[in-house]
Amino acid sequence: MRSLRLSSLALTAALAMTMTACGGDDGDDEVAAPPVDTAPEFAAGSRMAELAEAGKITVGTKFDQPLFGLKGLSGEPEGFDVEIAKIIAGKLGIAEDDITFVESVSANREPFLEQKRVDMVVATYTINDKRDMVVDFAGPYFQAGQDILVAKGNPKGIDGPESLKGKKTCSVAGSTPAETLQTEYGLTTADLQLVDVYTKCRDALANGQVDAVSTDNVILSGYVDAAPDDFELVGKPFTEEPYGIGIPEGQEDFCDFINETLAESVQDGSFEEAFKATAGKVIDTVPTLPAPRGCDK
Ligand code: GLU
């Protein structure tokens, strides 16, 4: 058993994570489908009425992140983000078969929402001011923190973001962790390699092409769980990453609806069930739903 602890920085999450010894989980276990409302009623002209009427929804998510969004051998994306999307769709009367999941890598999330290629993004998507200028966020529904993944045994003695200068670190373009490493810890193209998805970073670390991978602890812990003999987490989160549900700008009604749905999902147990069936296989503390930030931004 391996304990991963968030620092006081990520207090609100209060996530004491314990990795289970079930390494190699491919994320393909069956998850019970969340309930689907049979006859939901919405005000005419609302975004919810439009979606309910269409009877389908397109959701941007990650396809290569175990625990949150992973398209495994089943061909169906699985993870906590996927389950959150199903809970929201269910309240709109949309069953999981009528959800189209589209891979939205980190750099694609705002463009996909701005172009309305997706109706919402549930993809380890940190709420921040810069993004909030071009999209809107419901939530948060989870809080992570940025951490560092290293090779098993930590051969380079990396113990925090300050020790990354002069070493080779991999992260993903368009992500908050990449920006934090550049703006707050002075990493440049000499020490920071940016790619489009985290599995490329993971593979580069496994091959010894980089010394570290940095992004949210819960993403990295999925890679450790899948290969506990190859990787370990430094385990000292140094940012707060509140995950929101991204929607196009100007849909305040939909934002309020999502926040109400999240609160209801805690009441009816579907939030806990979704977590336990996915990320909860590795992170043993069910998170408390953070207070909503409000939709009148
Ligand atoms: N939560 C961070 C972000 O939104 C990192 C994870 C990701 O790239 O999806 O940028």
Side-chain angles (χ1 to χ4, degrees), residues 82-166:
V82 171
E83 293 308 305
I84 291 288
K86 288 181 190 170
I87 288 171
I88 296 164
K91 285 280 173 193
L92 291 163
I94 300 171
E96 60 178 317
D97 288 349
D98 296 315
I99 305 174
T100 304
F101 286 101
V102 173
E103 184 177 22
S104 305
V105 302
S106 302
N108 284 345
R109 293 173 294 194
E110 291 92 87
F112 277 15
L113 287 166
E114 288 175 275
Q115 296 156 12
K116 306 238 173 94
R117 280 175 69 171
V118 296
D119 298 307
M120 62 180 180
V121 166
V122 196
T124 57
Y125 198 10
T126 297
I127 300 171
N128 68 22
D129 292 345
K130 193 168 149 197
R131 292 171 176 167
D132 205 18
M133 310 265 279
V134 291
V135 302
D136 285 337
F137 287 101
Y141 60 95
F142 187 80
Q143 176 128 334
Q146 183 173 352
D147 208 331
I148 301 167
L149 183 74
V150 293
K152 183 81 178 178
N154 196 0
K156 300 285 166 91
I158 292 165
D159 60 3
E162 292 83 3
S163 54
L164 295 177
K165 197 90 189 112

Side-chain angles (χ1 to χ4, degrees), residues 62 106 109 123-126 131 175-177 198 215-216 219 243:
K62 297 299 186 82
S106 302
R109 293 173 294 194
T124 57
Y125 198 10
T126 297
R131 292 171 176 167
S175 71
T176 50
Y198 291 108
T215 186
D216 300 343
I219 298 172
Y243 290 175

